[in-house]
């Protein structure tokens, strides 16, 4: 089973940028649809973005459209989330996830999660 490890989080001022990475183990990464979610303190885990196994199709929650970009490098077994024009409300722990072939915004359908990486945006 694939294992996921996120990195790249940190503290950034509003308007700044960060790029998150999600390194996947195993040889099946290129077959899996992938997603990013985030969870702010005291709130539920929310959908951020998805990408198909080939990288040919992406989807975003409305609040990040035009600011965030999901991508992947299947040769490096790595998923990315480029975050620009960050806002205080983007502060959360960010998780990458997969369930293999499901692609959608419902976190209950995902069964493989990374440990998360903290993103804090100061205003």
């Amino acid at each position: 089973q694939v294992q996921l490890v996120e990195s790249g989080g940190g503290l950034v001022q509003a308007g700044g940028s960060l790029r998150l990475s999600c390194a996947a183990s195993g040889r099946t990464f290129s077959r899996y649809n992938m997603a990013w979610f985030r969870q702010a303190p005291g709130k539920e885990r929310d959908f951020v973005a998805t990408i198909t196994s080939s990288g040919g199709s992406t989807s975003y929650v409305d609040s990040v459209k035009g600011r965030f970009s999901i991508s992947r490098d299947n040769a490096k077994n790595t998923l990315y989330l480029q975050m620009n024009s960050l806002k205080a409300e983007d502060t959360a722990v960010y998780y990458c996830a997969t369930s293999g072939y499901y692609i959608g915004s419902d976190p209950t359908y995902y069964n493989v999660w990374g440990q998360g990486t903290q993103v804090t945006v100061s205003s």
Side-chain angles (χ1 to χ4, degrees), residues 32-110:
Y32 290 172
N33 298 320
M34 299 294 298
W36 285 99
F37 288 82
R38 64 186 179 184
Q39 188 166 20
K43 295 189 176 181
E44 296 183 346
R45 194 165 296 188
D46 292 331
F47 164 74
V48 175
T50 59
I51 188 168
T52 54
S53 57
S54 67
S57 181
T58 58
S59 177
Y60 300 90
V61 67
D62 285 347
S63 61
V64 308
K65 285 181 180 176
R67 301 189 298 123
F68 290 13
S69 178
I70 188 172
S71 63
R72 66 191 295 161
D73 185 337
N74 285 340
K76 295 183 178 179
N77 276 13
T78 304
L79 174 74
Y80 302 101
L81 185 68
Q82 178 66 44
M83 306 186 294
N84 299 326
S85 301
L86 282 162
K87 305 176 181 179
E89 51 263 44
D90 295 318
T91 295
V93 177
Y94 283 71
Y95 299 89
C96 57
T98 187
S99 68
Y101 303 106
Y102 169 77
I103 187 164
S105 61
D106 187 342
T108 64
Y109 283 88
Y110 290 83

